[in-house]
């Protein structure tokens, strides 16, 4: 646990953000390893099938994360105010709602997987593989949602380390099962999806066991499993705005992916690879945004307005030091990164990705700024501002992709991203 209402703000931000950075980098390392295993063992078409399903998976994950973030802001506020009765009622309300909601998403997603992929202009030669992969992933969403709720609840009291430990176990297990199911047993894309689902189930079990033994603040007794209608309304109001904000990006990515899909299998594979690298680059900015959010929310609950503003200022200064590092790494290692993430025979795919990264590396300064601002506004409870800014960003980016990509290739997406981030920051 970490009480951010007193002590050094910079120290709190670093202690909170670093475990999240490590955990998220580990998660992305798994995602990259998953792509490498599929690309090397199953070839271009299997990699493209998994890549096509990726934006839909991202919508689900970020939607779940949005509800978790919205609830964690409320919980952090109660924790900062030392109102533990309201804190526990909020946790109970969120857990019950998330269980019912995840069941509904699973039923609808499993039944309409093929229709979703067809709407994204998925090429016919990879459609069956993509449908099979996506349906198994929808089963795993039942666990994905619960892990997001439990991990965000731990982070609301300043515990960002424990979720990382469980994520580490889950990712290592996932990679081992990927090798077993895909490379050894030859289960194809179904094996990759099954490995993801099983590892997510393990992470949820570990969270529940840890809460029962070590976190009495989150350990509810049977009679405490109730839904507080007032808190449910506040959670849905805050969480739905956050979920919409979280989901707005991947919804735009679904549209962007549909444009990429029309450029052919090579472009699909190249774009999937650069997105993996882009995700790695932006993880520290997102983690610092979460640290700013939690620190701001706890101090808001305690009534410390001066510390709320300092949380934002110090967070921005810390994350801006990261930009020259990631820009340099991307420019130096762009070719080795692409060779690692692409199938052995796909030289055109590698060249396409290298050209993209040569441009995108200079634009990483923008998420350093925009994620910090978003974290601050979330901590203040101004979710509608974050939503509006995100809608502006993804709308401009998507329109830019529709105009530029057919003319100059996937590098057009890099320019469109910069323009979207710039207008978001201005707003």
């Amino acid at each position: 646990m970490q009480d951010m209402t007193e002590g050094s703000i910079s120290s709190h931000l670093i202690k909170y953000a670093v475990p999240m950075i490590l955990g998220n980098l580990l998660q992305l390392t798994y995602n990259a390893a998953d792509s490498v295993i599929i690309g090397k063992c199953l070839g271009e078409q299997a990699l493209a099938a998994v890549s096509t399903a990726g934006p839909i998976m991202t919508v689900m994950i970020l939607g779940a994360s949005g509800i978790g973030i919205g609830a964690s802001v409320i919980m952090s506020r109660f924790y900062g105010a030392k109102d533990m009765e309201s804190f526990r009622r909020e946790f109970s309300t969120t857990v019950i709602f998330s269980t019912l909601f995840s069941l509904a998403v699973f039923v609808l997603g499993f039944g309409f997987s093929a229709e979703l992929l067809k709407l994204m202009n998925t090429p016919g030669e990879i459609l069956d593989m993509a449908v099979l992969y996506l349906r198994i992933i929808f089963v795993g969403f039942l666990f994905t949602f619960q892990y997001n709720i439990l991990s965000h609840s731990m982070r609301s009291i300043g515990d960002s380390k424990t979720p990382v430990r469980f994520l580490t176990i889950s990712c290592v297990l996932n990679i081992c099962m990927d090798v077993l199911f895909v490379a050894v047993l030859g289960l194809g894309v179904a094996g990759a999806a099954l490995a993801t689902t099983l590892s997510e189930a393990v992470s949820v079990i570990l969270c529940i066991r840890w809460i029962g033994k070590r976190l009495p603040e989150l350990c509810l007794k049977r009679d405490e499993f109730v839904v507080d209608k007032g808190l449910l309304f506040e959670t849905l109001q805050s969480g739905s705005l956050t979920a919409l904000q979280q989901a707005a990006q991947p919804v735009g990515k679904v549209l962007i992916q549909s444009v990429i899909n029309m450029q052919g299998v090579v472009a699909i594979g190249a774009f999937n690879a650069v997105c993996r690298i882009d995700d790695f680059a932006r993880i520290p900015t997102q983690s610092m945004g979460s640290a700013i959010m939690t620190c701001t929310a706890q101090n808001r609950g305690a009534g410390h307005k001066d510390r709320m503003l300092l949380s934002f200022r110090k967070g921005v200064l810390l994350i801006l030091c990261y930009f020259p590092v990631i820009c340099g790494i991307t420019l130096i290692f762009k070719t080795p990164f692409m060779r690692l993430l692409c199938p052995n025979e796909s030289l055109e795919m590698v060249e396409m990705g290298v050209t993209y990264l040569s441009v995108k590396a200079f634009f990483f300064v923008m998420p350093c700024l925009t994620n910090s601002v978003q974290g601050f506004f979330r901590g203040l409870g101004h979710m509608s501002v974050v939503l509006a800014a995100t809608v502006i960003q993804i709308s401009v980016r998507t329109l830019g992709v529709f105009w530029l990509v057919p003319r100059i290739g996937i590098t057009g997406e890099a320019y469109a991203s910069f323009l979207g981030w710039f207008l978001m920051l201005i707003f």
Side-chain angles (χ1 to χ4, degrees):
M1 295 180 292
Q2 190 176 350
D3 187 348
M4 298 180 172
T5 60
E6 53 188 36
S8 169
I9 288 178
S10 294
S11 177
H12 283 311
L13 292 173
I14 293 171
K15 288 180 180 178
Y16 186 97
V18 168
M20 287 193 68
I21 291 170
L22 295 175
N24 289 327
L25 287 175
L26 180 65
Q27 177 70 58
L28 290 175
T29 299
Y30 154 70
N31 290 337
D34 188 49
S35 293
V36 170
I37 293 169
I38 292 172
K40 303 296 185 185
C41 296
L42 303 177
E44 285 186 357
Q45 288 198 347
L47 181 60
V50 173
S51 302
T52 300
I56 299 175
M57 293 167 55
T58 305
V59 170
M60 297 189 301
I61 292 170
L62 293 185
S65 178
I67 295 295
I69 291 172
S72 72
V73 170
I74 298 172
M75 293 172 69
S76 292
R77 191 181 76 229
F78 287 141
Y79 186 74
K82 307 299 187 289
D83 184 356
M84 299 310 295
E85 181 181 353
S86 297
F87 174 89
R88 292 165 71 83
R89 285 205 312 271
E90 169 63 19
F91 178 59
S92 170
T93 299
T94 304
V95 167
I96 294 172
F97 169 78
S98 66
T99 300
L100 297 175
F101 184 76
S102 62
L103 284 169
V105 172
F106 158 67
V107 171
L108 291 173
F110 191 91
F112 292 98
S113 293
E115 286 73 14
L116 287 171
L117 291 165
K118 288 177 183 177
L119 286 174
M120 293 173 59
N121 299 316
T122 302
E125 63 267 29
I126 62 173
L127 180 60
D128 289 342
M129 280 192 292
V131 170
L132 176 61
Y133 180 84
L134 187 58
R135 282 179 173 165
I136 298 175
I137 290 297
F138 268 113
V139 176
F141 180 69
L142 297 170
F143 306 112
T144 302
F145 207 116
Q146 294 305 318
Y147 173 77
N148 272 277
I149 296 302
L150 296 176
S151 62
H152 280 295
S153 298
M154 292 181 192
R155 290 170 184 144
S156 73
I157 59 175
D159 183 5
S160 60
K161 295 180 181 178
T162 301
V164 172
R165 296 191 188 105
F166 299 151
L167 186 62
T168 301
I169 296 172
S170 176
C171 288
V172 171
L173 181 62
N174 204 332
I175 292 173
C176 292
M177 288 192 292
D178 260 342
V179 173
L180 175 63
F181 294 160
V182 177
V184 178
L185 298 180
L187 298 181
V189 296
L194 183 60
T196 299
T197 298
L198 292 175
S199 64
E200 288 172 343
V202 169
S203 66
V204 172
I205 293 171
L206 291 173
C207 284
I208 293 173
R209 286 177 59 85
W210 182 265
I211 288 172
K213 292 182 177 181
R214 301 294 182 88
L215 294 178
E217 296 86 356
L218 296 172
C219 187
L220 302 175
K221 299 176 182 178
R222 183 173 298 179
D223 59 351
E224 290 182 307
F225 279 97
V226 295
V227 175
D228 185 305
K229 293 182 180 179
L231 287 177
L232 177 60
F233 177 78
E234 185 178 359
T235 301
L236 291 178
Q237 186 178 40
S238 174
S240 61
L241 287 174
T242 307
L244 285 172
Q245 183 269 326
Q246 290 284 95
Q249 288 280 6
V251 166
K253 286 184 178 180
V254 169
L255 298 175
I256 290 169
Q257 186 70 52
S258 69
V259 178
I260 301 296
N261 290 349
M262 295 172 69
Q263 313 309 308
V265 171
V266 172
I268 293 173
F271 187 67
N272 172 71
V274 297
C275 283
R276 299 289 191 195
I277 298 168
D278 182 76
D279 288 341
F280 270 104
R282 291 189 289 110
I283 278 300
T285 71
Q286 295 165 357
S287 299
M288 183 56 70
S290 295
I292 292 171
M293 177 193 75
T294 301
C295 194
T296 301
Q298 284 195 16
N299 283 287
R300 178 186 171 207
H304 298 161
K305 293 185 178 180
D306 55 334
R307 291 178 64 86
M308 292 161 60
L309 187 57
L310 278 174
S311 300
F312 171 65
R313 289 177 175 172
K314 291 183 179 295
V316 171
L317 291 175
L318 286 169
I319 200 59
L320 281 177
C321 296
Y322 164 74
F323 165 65
V325 176
I326 190 58
C327 180
I329 290 174
T330 303
L331 292 174
I332 293 170
F333 296 103
K334 57 191 176 184
T335 301
F337 286 158
M338 286 302 302
R339 286 175 177 168
L340 176 65
L341 292 170
C342 295
N344 294 329
E345 69 278 6
S346 300
L347 297 179
E348 183 183 357
M349 193 180 290
V350 171
E351 183 179 352
M352 194 180 294
V354 167
T355 302
Y356 176 97
L357 292 173
S358 299
V359 174
K360 191 65 172 286
F362 295 100
F363 297 160
F364 287 140
V365 68
M366 299 305 294
C368 292
L369 299 172
T370 57
N371 279 301
S372 298
V373 175
Q374 288 183 80
F376 182 59
F377 275 102
R378 284 173 179 157
L380 294 174
H382 297 330
M383 306 301 185
S384 59
V385 175
V386 181
L387 174 61
T390 302
V391 169
I392 291 171
Q393 185 268 332
I394 195 60
S395 298
V396 171
R397 178 185 174 190
T398 303
L399 290 172
V401 166
F402 271 84
W403 174 256
L404 292 172
V405 169
R407 290 166 173 79
I408 63 174
I410 66 170
T411 304
E413 195 275 340
Y415 291 108
S417 293
F418 174 80
L419 183 59
W421 280 326
F422 179 76
L423 293 178
M424 179 187 198
L425 190 60
I426 294 298
F427 174 82

